Amino acid sequence: SFTMNTYLFVYDLLQFCGHSWIFTNMIIRFMSFGKDSLADTFYSIGLVMRLCQLLSVLEILHILIGIDKSCLLPRFLQITERIIVLFVVINSQEEVQGKYVVCVLFFLWNLLDVVRYTYNMLARTGIYYLPLTWLNFSLCIPLYPLSVVAKAFAICVSLPYFESFGTYSVKLPFPFAFSIYFPYVLKMYLLVLFTGMCFIIQNLFSERKAHLGTGNIKKKRS
């Protein structure tokens, strides 16, 4: 409906503005301060980044109620990966926030999202700009695996701090006599992360074929 389409356009616009601000801020800071800007990336843009990622949870709801026709599982995996790495791993360990991998991760996320939300906004209005369409469904194929590697590296960097501080590790009292050692949970999550990556990459190739096939290109041009 027109109302739902308008709502989705406004949502994409908000996300575009947020990610564009982060992306522009990162580039300007790097050009102004060089490598010194990398260490405090989280402190300068972390709040907006967290707001954008929290807002992205709505995309799962959009699919569930049927106003977005995207596949649920791939989108769910991509969103939860970011939420876990950003809020559980990076946000909870101040020592990790100053690592260069955080800057790399934010750069990859925002580059992908600026392109994606620009494409989505134009698509809501029926505009399909072929170079942008190609970029949207092609750029994610090499950059998404790179972002997964960056996520895994951020988790590995955080493990010594989770071990030292005992963050999120829980020991239940008697009679349960059961404990949860959070570094082990993160190590198991690394397996889930790379398994999910294989599934998501297959979905990305399928989406690219569906949107960039010869017939679809001709249809959008017309």
Side-chain angles (χ1 to χ4, degrees):
S1 68
F2 176 78
T3 303
M4 288 296 99
N5 201 54
T6 303
Y7 161 74
L8 290 174
F9 177 84
V10 172
Y11 168 82
D12 291 328
L13 177 61
L14 288 174
Q15 287 282 35
F16 169 78
C17 291
H19 288 289
S20 296
W21 181 87
I22 296 172
F23 192 68
T24 305
N25 187 287
M26 290 181 68
I27 293 175
I28 293 175
R29 284 172 53 79
F30 182 76
M31 293 176 64
S32 301
F33 305 108
K35 290 184 179 180
D36 293 338
S37 66
L38 303 181
D40 63 347
T41 295
F42 184 84
Y43 304 103
S44 60
I45 63 175
L47 177 60
V48 181
M49 192 69 191
R50 280 173 283 179
L51 290 174
C52 287
Q53 296 308 315
L54 285 175
L55 192 61
S56 70
V57 176
L58 288 174
E59 294 179 27
I60 299 174
L61 179 62
H62 296 164
I63 298 173
L64 288 174
I65 64 179
I67 62 176
D68 187 340
K69 303 303 179 183
S70 302
C71 295
L72 175 61
L73 184 56
R75 196 73 200 115
F76 174 80
L77 290 174
Q78 288 176 297
I79 291 172
T80 52
E81 285 172 7
R82 293 190 180 189
I83 294 294
I84 290 172
V85 172
L86 179 58
F87 287 92
V88 178
V89 176
I90 299 175
N91 191 62
S92 67
Q93 299 297 336
E94 188 174 353
E95 291 78 5
V96 178
Q97 296 169 9
K99 303 295 184 181
Y100 288 170
V101 67
V102 174
C103 182
V104 173
L105 195 54
F106 283 10
F107 180 83
L108 292 173
W109 284 355
N110 285 282
L111 178 58
L112 287 170
D113 285 339
V114 167
V115 173
R116 184 165 71 90
Y117 289 115
T118 302
Y119 171 83
N120 286 347
M121 280 194 301
L122 293 177
R124 306 293 181 202
T125 61
I127 299 173
Y128 295 94
Y129 186 48
L130 185 56
L132 180 61
T133 303
W134 182 90
L135 190 63
N136 181 61
F137 292 102
S138 300
L139 188 64
C140 55
I141 293 175
L143 292 192
Y144 174 71
L146 288 177
S147 72
V148 171
V149 173
K151 292 171 195 171
F153 188 76
I155 291 173
C156 292
V157 167
S158 72
L159 287 175
Y161 303 108
F162 280 105
E163 292 171 354
S164 300
F165 303 136
T167 311
Y168 300 134
S169 293
V170 179
K171 187 174 182 179
L172 300 179
F174 183 83
F176 300 100
F178 180 75
S179 61
I180 299 175
Y181 188 55
F182 196 70
Y184 289 162
V185 176
L186 287 178
K187 290 175 182 178
M188 289 188 291
Y189 181 69
L190 286 173
L191 297 176
V192 176
L193 191 63
F194 283 102
T195 302
M197 180 187 71
C198 297
F199 171 74
I200 291 173
I201 288 175
Q202 289 181 340
N203 183 73
L204 292 175
F205 274 107
S206 298
E207 286 187 342
R208 187 179 189 278
K209 184 178 180 180
H211 288 83
L212 297 180
T214 304
N216 287 312
I217 291 176
K218 289 181 179 179
K219 183 178 179 180
K220 288 175 181 178
R221 280 178 172 175
S222 62

